[in-house]
Amino acid sequence: MNANGGSRAFMFSTANVSGTNPYPTLGTVKVFVRPGETINVGSSAQNVGNGYIVLRAPNGTTYTTQGLGNVGKILNRSQEVAGPFILLLNLGGYTPATYTVGANQGGIWEIDFLPPNQASTTQPTAISASAAWTQPSTSYIAAWDVSVRNTAGTARVNGRTFMNVFTGSLGNFNQPFNAVFNILTRDGYRYTVNNNGQTGYGFSFFVNNKGVQTAAGAPSYKSFNDLSGFNMQDPATKTPKPTILQKSFLTRLMKLCLLQLPRVQAVRGSLLRLPVLWRQTIPSTVRKVRPMCPGPIPPAVISDLLPMWLPILRLILT
């Protein structure tokens, strides 16, 4: 998020709703992993005040970095850039908290980054994205990391980490936000969103299929200067169903063999709806996620798809 210049967006982590933060989150980040891979996590708020990290696996198991001391703590800008320490591979990185994905834990994990003090909303000092930072003792987090190592532990697997909502602060009104997000829609389209120097001060970034809505719940196709008359579905809720919250990846998406994605194990088990694999339209400005698997479609997958295919076939036949 800090690789494109501009000002640093400090993550705002709190459960408290306010007039300028209508959609609070506990810094929730999500990551897609396969069994045998390793999740590395770190935060500049780890072991500072009440700062720690919580991880929830798709099978319901919860892990926490409470009691780990400075394991999982990002100490400075150079460690943030280097990423997690890996013996003989990355000696300048921070010491990550590591979690190996179990046989029944493949899918999407949820990770919360807790700040030193959720009750304190004192704004951080504005700094450039590449400048040295100091971790505030407030509800803001200067640096954080979620990354994945392959099953052999020899290489980093990119394009796995995403958010539904990022809430941050630039520390002042005239600071530019240059982060680039890679959006994956639920039906498989990919968009690149360059914030291109927006000056949002305190803000929530998320993508849905309607934007600001009319009173009837339809897209308004309008921008609003303030929160007066502002009608937006809370991204933390799933109703009404017509509003779809999309996924904002932090790097270019990984190449997925979508047929190997786990079946839904609760809400966090799958990235896409499988029928998207057979739609071949590729507009010039949008890239479609396509199957990467050689060979025939597994019989088990075909049987899973049949109930969804049959209504489509009926529609075509009539």
Side-chain angles (χ1 to χ4, degrees):
M1 291 184 65
N2 293 291
N4 301 288
S7 295
R8 175 172 295 268
F10 288 78
M11 175 187 279
F12 188 17
S13 176
T14 180
N16 301 320
V17 178
S18 69
T20 56
N21 185 25
Y23 312 125
T25 79
L26 292 176
T28 304
V29 177
K30 301 181 181 182
V31 61
F32 172 78
V33 285
R34 295 188 174 99
E37 294 177 334
T38 300
I39 302 172
N40 296 321
V41 294
S43 165
S44 57
Q46 168 66 19
N47 203 32
V48 178
N50 295 317
Y52 62 96
I53 304 168
V54 177
L55 302 92
R56 293 181 295 277
N59 67 349
T61 305
T62 299
Y63 305 91
T64 176
T65 61
Q66 280 183 304
L68 295 185
N70 285 340
V71 173
K73 184 173 183 177
I74 304 173
L75 295 172
N76 49 49
R77 172 63 178 163
S78 62
Q79 285 193 349
E80 177 189 29
V81 173
F85 169 86
I86 304 294
L87 185 63
L88 301 180
L89 296 176
N90 183 17
L91 301 181
Y94 75 94
T95 301
T98 60
Y99 301 88
T100 301
V101 181
N104 64 340
Q105 293 181 324
I108 298 174
W109 288 48
E110 290 183 348
I111 301 168
D112 292 340
F113 289 90
L114 281 298
N117 182 1
Q118 285 191 51
S120 175
T121 58
T122 301
Q123 292 291 325
T125 301
I127 58 173
S128 70
S130 60
W133 43 259
T134 300
Q135 170 57 44
S137 57
T138 63
S139 53
Y140 293 94
I141 298 175
W144 49 273
D145 176 59
V146 178
S147 50
V148 180
R149 304 292 297 181
N150 61 12
T151 55
T154 57
R156 181 171 175 165
V157 184
N158 290 323
R160 298 291 194 84
T161 304
F162 67 95
M163 301 178 181
N164 291 125
V165 182
F166 174 71
T167 304
S169 173
L170 300 171
N172 211 328
F173 290 101
N174 58 353
Q175 303 301 307
F177 182 53
N178 286 7
V180 175
F181 290 96
N182 297 271
I183 309 304
L184 175 64
T185 66
R186 191 170 68 173
D187 56 351
Y189 286 96
R190 298 184 293 179
Y191 297 82
T192 298
V193 178
N194 188 336
N195 282 275
N196 199 31
Q198 291 195 78
T199 53
Y201 200 162
F203 63 93
S204 295
F205 177 93
F206 58 94
V207 177
N208 66 26
N209 66 327
K210 286 191 174 183
V212 181
Q213 301 176 28
T214 66
S220 68
Y221 302 105
K222 292 181 180 180
S223 297
F224 281 71
N225 291 328
D226 54 46
L227 297 180
S228 176
F230 181 83
N231 183 24
M232 177 80 74
Q233 180 176 318
D234 186 338
T237 68
K238 299 183 182 303
T239 55
K241 287 184 178 181
T243 300
I244 300 170
L245 189 64
Q246 316 293 8
K247 299 174 176 65
S248 300
F249 281 77
L250 300 176
T251 60
R252 184 174 175 82
L253 277 66
M254 70 295 198
K255 292 182 179 180
L256 274 178
C257 171
L258 295 180
L259 295 177
Q260 294 176 352
L261 285 177
R263 297 174 67 182
V264 177
Q265 304 173 30
V267 179
R268 300 190 297 274
S270 178
L271 288 173
L272 295 175
R273 290 182 172 180
L274 282 174
V276 73
L277 292 170
W278 288 272
R279 299 175 190 168
Q280 298 298 317
T281 303
I282 308 178
S284 59
T285 57
V286 181
R287 295 186 178 183
K288 193 69 174 283
V289 175
R290 300 181 71 182
M292 300 293 177
C293 302
I297 302 170
V301 173
I302 294 177
S303 65
D304 289 342
L305 290 175
L306 279 176
M308 293 178 280
W309 275 68
L310 287 176
I312 298 174
L313 291 174
R314 291 194 190 101
L315 179 61
I316 293 172
L317 291 174
T318 55

mmCIF file of all heavy atoms in Angstrom, residues 190-213:
data_model
loop_
_atom_site.group_PDB
_atom_site.id
_atom_site.type_symbol
_atom_site.label_atom_id
_atom_site.label_comp_id
_atom_site.label_asym_id
_atom_site.label_seq_id
_atom_site.Cartn_x
_atom_site.Cartn_y
_atom_site.Cartn_z
ATOM 1 N N ARG A 190 -11.644 -8.590 -13.065
ATOM 2 C CA ARG A 190 -10.565 -7.951 -12.340
ATOM 3 C C ARG A 190 -10.412 -6.495 -12.796
ATOM 4 O O ARG A 190 -10.376 -6.220 -13.990
ATOM 5 C CB ARG A 190 -9.243 -8.700 -12.563
ATOM 6 C CG ARG A 190 -9.280 -10.131 -12.041
ATOM 7 C CD ARG A 190 -7.935 -10.803 -12.202
ATOM 8 N NE ARG A 190 -7.587 -11.010 -13.600
ATOM 9 C CZ ARG A 190 -6.442 -11.565 -14.003
ATOM 10 N NH1 ARG A 190 -5.543 -11.942 -13.127
ATOM 11 N NH2 ARG A 190 -6.212 -11.737 -15.290
ATOM 12 N N TYR A 191 -10.309 -5.615 -11.830
ATOM 13 C CA TYR A 191 -10.103 -4.196 -12.103
ATOM 14 C C TYR A 191 -8.896 -3.706 -11.301
ATOM 15 O O TYR A 191 -8.650 -4.177 -10.190
ATOM 16 C CB TYR A 191 -11.320 -3.363 -11.684
ATOM 17 C CG TYR A 191 -12.590 -3.676 -12.426
ATOM 18 C CD1 TYR A 191 -13.400 -4.746 -12.052
ATOM 19 C CD2 TYR A 191 -13.010 -2.889 -13.498
ATOM 20 C CE1 TYR A 191 -14.576 -5.032 -12.732
ATOM 21 C CE2 TYR A 191 -14.185 -3.168 -14.177
ATOM 22 C CZ TYR A 191 -14.957 -4.243 -13.784
ATOM 23 O OH TYR A 191 -16.119 -4.524 -14.452
ATOM 24 N N THR A 192 -8.175 -2.753 -11.847
ATOM 25 C CA THR A 192 -7.117 -2.067 -11.111
ATOM 26 C C THR A 192 -7.614 -0.676 -10.748
ATOM 27 O O THR A 192 -8.027 0.084 -11.621
ATOM 28 C CB THR A 192 -5.833 -1.955 -11.951
ATOM 29 O OG1 THR A 192 -5.360 -3.267 -12.251
ATOM 30 C CG2 THR A 192 -4.752 -1.204 -11.182
ATOM 31 N N VAL A 193 -7.589 -0.351 -9.449
ATOM 32 C CA VAL A 193 -8.054 0.951 -8.973
ATOM 33 C C VAL A 193 -6.865 1.699 -8.391
ATOM 34 O O VAL A 193 -6.310 1.305 -7.364
ATOM 35 C CB VAL A 193 -9.159 0.802 -7.911
ATOM 36 C CG1 VAL A 193 -9.583 2.185 -7.394
ATOM 37 C CG2 VAL A 193 -10.357 0.075 -8.484
ATOM 38 N N ASN A 194 -6.466 2.779 -9.060
ATOM 39 C CA ASN A 194 -5.380 3.634 -8.594
ATOM 40 C C ASN A 194 -5.992 4.845 -7.900
ATOM 41 O O ASN A 194 -6.677 5.646 -8.537
ATOM 42 C CB ASN A 194 -4.507 4.071 -9.777
ATOM 43 C CG ASN A 194 -3.258 4.804 -9.339
ATOM 44 O OD1 ASN A 194 -3.201 5.374 -8.255
ATOM 45 N ND2 ASN A 194 -2.247 4.790 -10.195
ATOM 46 N N ASN A 195 -5.747 4.993 -6.610
ATOM 47 C CA ASN A 195 -6.325 6.119 -5.875
ATOM 48 C C ASN A 195 -5.741 7.465 -6.294
ATOM 49 O O ASN A 195 -6.353 8.505 -6.031
ATOM 50 C CB ASN A 195 -6.169 5.905 -4.372
ATOM 51 C CG ASN A 195 -7.179 4.923 -3.831
ATOM 52 O OD1 ASN A 195 -8.306 5.287 -3.513
ATOM 53 N ND2 ASN A 195 -6.802 3.655 -3.756
ATOM 54 N N ASN A 196 -4.556 7.442 -6.910
ATOM 55 C CA ASN A 196 -4.067 8.585 -7.700
ATOM 56 C C ASN A 196 -4.048 9.906 -6.928
ATOM 57 O O ASN A 196 -4.416 10.954 -7.441
ATOM 58 C CB ASN A 196 -4.926 8.737 -8.964
ATOM 59 C CG ASN A 196 -4.232 9.558 -10.033
ATOM 60 O OD1 ASN A 196 -3.013 9.545 -10.124
ATOM 61 N ND2 ASN A 196 -5.009 10.269 -10.831
ATOM 62 N N GLY A 197 -3.636 9.834 -5.658
ATOM 63 C CA GLY A 197 -3.465 11.077 -4.905
ATOM 64 C C GLY A 197 -4.704 11.640 -4.259
ATOM 65 O O GLY A 197 -4.761 12.845 -3.967
ATOM 66 N N GLN A 198 -5.718 10.809 -4.016
ATOM 67 C CA GLN A 198 -6.903 11.305 -3.310
ATOM 68 C C GLN A 198 -6.519 11.864 -1.946
ATOM 69 O O GLN A 198 -5.630 11.347 -1.279
ATOM 70 C CB GLN A 198 -7.917 10.176 -3.118
ATOM 71 C CG GLN A 198 -8.584 9.702 -4.392
ATOM 72 C CD GLN A 198 -9.808 8.868 -4.076
ATOM 73 O OE1 GLN A 198 -10.853 9.395 -3.736
ATOM 74 N NE2 GLN A 198 -9.675 7.556 -4.204
ATOM 75 N N THR A 199 -7.217 12.914 -1.527
ATOM 76 C CA THR A 199 -6.938 13.523 -0.227
ATOM 77 C C THR A 199 -8.124 13.318 0.694
ATOM 78 O O THR A 199 -8.901 14.242 0.967
ATOM 79 C CB THR A 199 -6.629 15.024 -0.390
ATOM 80 O OG1 THR A 199 -7.699 15.641 -1.120
ATOM 81 C CG2 THR A 199 -5.336 15.238 -1.136
ATOM 82 N N GLY A 200 -8.278 12.122 1.168
ATOM 83 C CA GLY A 200 -9.455 11.783 1.960
ATOM 84 C C GLY A 200 -9.317 11.980 3.449
ATOM 85 O O GLY A 200 -10.289 11.859 4.183
ATOM 86 N N TYR A 201 -8.111 12.309 3.961
ATOM 87 C CA TYR A 201 -7.855 12.438 5.401
ATOM 88 C C TYR A 201 -8.233 11.127 6.084
ATOM 89 O O TYR A 201 -7.517 10.142 6.004
ATOM 90 C CB TYR A 201 -8.600 13.623 5.978
ATOM 91 C CG TYR A 201 -8.051 14.145 7.303
ATOM 92 C CD1 TYR A 201 -8.368 15.409 7.769
ATOM 93 C CD2 TYR A 201 -7.207 13.367 8.094
ATOM 94 C CE1 TYR A 201 -7.870 15.893 8.971
ATOM 95 C CE2 TYR A 201 -6.702 13.840 9.287
ATOM 96 C CZ TYR A 201 -7.043 15.108 9.731
ATOM 97 O OH TYR A 201 -6.544 15.576 10.914
ATOM 98 N N GLY A 202 -9.363 11.095 6.779
ATOM 99 C CA GLY A 202 -9.873 9.844 7.319
ATOM 100 C C GLY A 202 -10.889 9.281 6.343
ATOM 101 O O GLY A 202 -11.743 10.005 5.836
ATOM 102 N N PHE A 203 -10.808 7.975 6.036
ATOM 103 C CA PHE A 203 -11.649 7.439 4.966
ATOM 104 C C PHE A 203 -11.855 5.940 5.126
ATOM 105 O O PHE A 203 -11.119 5.256 5.840
ATOM 106 C CB PHE A 203 -10.996 7.706 3.597
ATOM 107 C CG PHE A 203 -9.656 7.024 3.429
ATOM 108 C CD1 PHE A 203 -9.567 5.770 2.847
ATOM 109 C CD2 PHE A 203 -8.494 7.632 3.865
ATOM 110 C CE1 PHE A 203 -8.341 5.131 2.705
ATOM 111 C CE2 PHE A 203 -7.262 7.019 3.723
ATOM 112 C CZ PHE A 203 -7.190 5.761 3.142
ATOM 113 N N SER A 204 -12.876 5.423 4.428
ATOM 114 C CA SER A 204 -13.100 3.984 4.269
ATOM 115 C C SER A 204 -13.094 3.680 2.783
ATOM 116 O O SER A 204 -13.825 4.316 2.011
ATOM 117 C CB SER A 204 -14.448 3.566 4.874
ATOM 118 O OG SER A 204 -14.458 3.757 6.273
ATOM 119 N N PHE A 205 -12.271 2.716 2.385
ATOM 120 C CA PHE A 205 -12.208 2.320 0.979
ATOM 121 C C PHE A 205 -12.824 0.936 0.838
ATOM 122 O O PHE A 205 -12.416 -0.017 1.489
ATOM 123 C CB PHE A 205 -10.758 2.278 0.498
ATOM 124 C CG PHE A 205 -10.613 1.807 -0.937
ATOM 125 C CD1 PHE A 205 -10.577 2.714 -1.977
ATOM 126 C CD2 PHE A 205 -10.531 0.446 -1.238
ATOM 127 C CE1 PHE A 205 -10.455 2.288 -3.296
ATOM 128 C CE2 PHE A 205 -10.428 0.004 -2.547
ATOM 129 C CZ PHE A 205 -10.378 0.927 -3.580
ATOM 130 N N PHE A 206 -13.838 0.832 -0.034
ATOM 131 C CA PHE A 206 -14.397 -0.475 -0.375
ATOM 132 C C PHE A 206 -15.094 -0.370 -1.722
ATOM 133 O O PHE A 206 -15.348 0.720 -2.235
ATOM 134 C CB PHE A 206 -15.349 -1.004 0.705
ATOM 135 C CG PHE A 206 -16.516 -0.124 1.024
ATOM 136 C CD1 PHE A 206 -17.737 -0.317 0.394
ATOM 137 C CD2 PHE A 206 -16.414 0.879 1.968
ATOM 138 C CE1 PHE A 206 -18.833 0.478 0.694
ATOM 139 C CE2 PHE A 206 -17.502 1.685 2.285
ATOM 140 C CZ PHE A 206 -18.712 1.487 1.646
ATOM 141 N N VAL A 207 -15.390 -1.511 -2.307
ATOM 142 C CA VAL A 207 -15.997 -1.566 -3.641
ATOM 143 C C VAL A 207 -17.241 -2.442 -3.571
ATOM 144 O O VAL A 207 -17.181 -3.568 -3.063
ATOM 145 C CB VAL A 207 -15.002 -2.155 -4.675
ATOM 146 C CG1 VAL A 207 -15.666 -2.270 -6.046
ATOM 147 C CG2 VAL A 207 -13.746 -1.290 -4.757
ATOM 148 N N ASN A 208 -18.351 -1.921 -4.074
ATOM 149 C CA ASN A 208 -19.537 -2.761 -4.211
ATOM 150 C C ASN A 208 -20.171 -2.529 -5.579
ATOM 151 O O ASN A 208 -19.639 -1.784 -6.397
ATOM 152 C CB ASN A 208 -20.533 -2.530 -3.059
ATOM 153 C CG ASN A 208 -21.143 -1.143 -3.072
ATOM 154 O OD1 ASN A 208 -21.244 -0.484 -4.105
ATOM 155 N ND2 ASN A 208 -21.566 -0.682 -1.900
ATOM 156 N N ASN A 209 -21.282 -3.170 -5.827
ATOM 157 C CA ASN A 209 -21.882 -3.122 -7.165
ATOM 158 C C ASN A 209 -22.925 -2.021 -7.322
ATOM 159 O O ASN A 209 -23.579 -1.932 -8.361
ATOM 160 C CB ASN A 209 -22.529 -4.473 -7.497
ATOM 161 C CG ASN A 209 -23.714 -4.779 -6.601
ATOM 162 O OD1 ASN A 209 -23.732 -4.392 -5.431
ATOM 163 N ND2 ASN A 209 -24.705 -5.469 -7.134
ATOM 164 N N LYS A 210 -23.075 -1.155 -6.306
ATOM 165 C CA LYS A 210 -24.111 -0.118 -6.401
ATOM 166 C C LYS A 210 -23.618 1.286 -6.092
ATOM 167 O O LYS A 210 -24.218 2.258 -6.540
ATOM 168 C CB LYS A 210 -25.274 -0.451 -5.458
ATOM 169 C CG LYS A 210 -26.151 -1.589 -5.951
ATOM 170 C CD LYS A 210 -27.409 -1.675 -5.117
ATOM 171 C CE LYS A 210 -28.364 -2.715 -5.674
ATOM 172 N NZ LYS A 210 -29.624 -2.756 -4.908
ATOM 173 N N GLY A 211 -22.563 1.419 -5.313
ATOM 174 C CA GLY A 211 -22.123 2.746 -4.913
ATOM 175 C C GLY A 211 -23.138 3.409 -3.992
ATOM 176 O O GLY A 211 -23.847 2.740 -3.243
ATOM 177 N N VAL A 212 -23.206 4.725 -4.051
ATOM 178 C CA VAL A 212 -24.213 5.443 -3.266
ATOM 179 C C VAL A 212 -25.580 5.171 -3.876
ATOM 180 O O VAL A 212 -25.764 5.289 -5.091
ATOM 181 C CB VAL A 212 -23.925 6.952 -3.256
ATOM 182 C CG1 VAL A 212 -24.971 7.678 -2.416
ATOM 183 C CG2 VAL A 212 -22.525 7.225 -2.710
ATOM 184 N N GLN A 213 -26.552 4.818 -3.029
ATOM 185 C CA GLN A 213 -27.846 4.375 -3.524
ATOM 186 C C GLN A 213 -28.921 5.434 -3.367
ATOM 187 O O GLN A 213 -28.817 6.342 -2.535
ATOM 188 C CB GLN A 213 -28.269 3.110 -2.764
ATOM 189 C CG GLN A 213 -27.287 1.960 -2.900
ATOM 190 C CD GLN A 213 -27.692 0.772 -2.049
ATOM 191 O OE1 GLN A 213 -28.871 0.559 -1.768
ATOM 192 N NE2 GLN A 213 -26.706 -0.020 -1.643
#
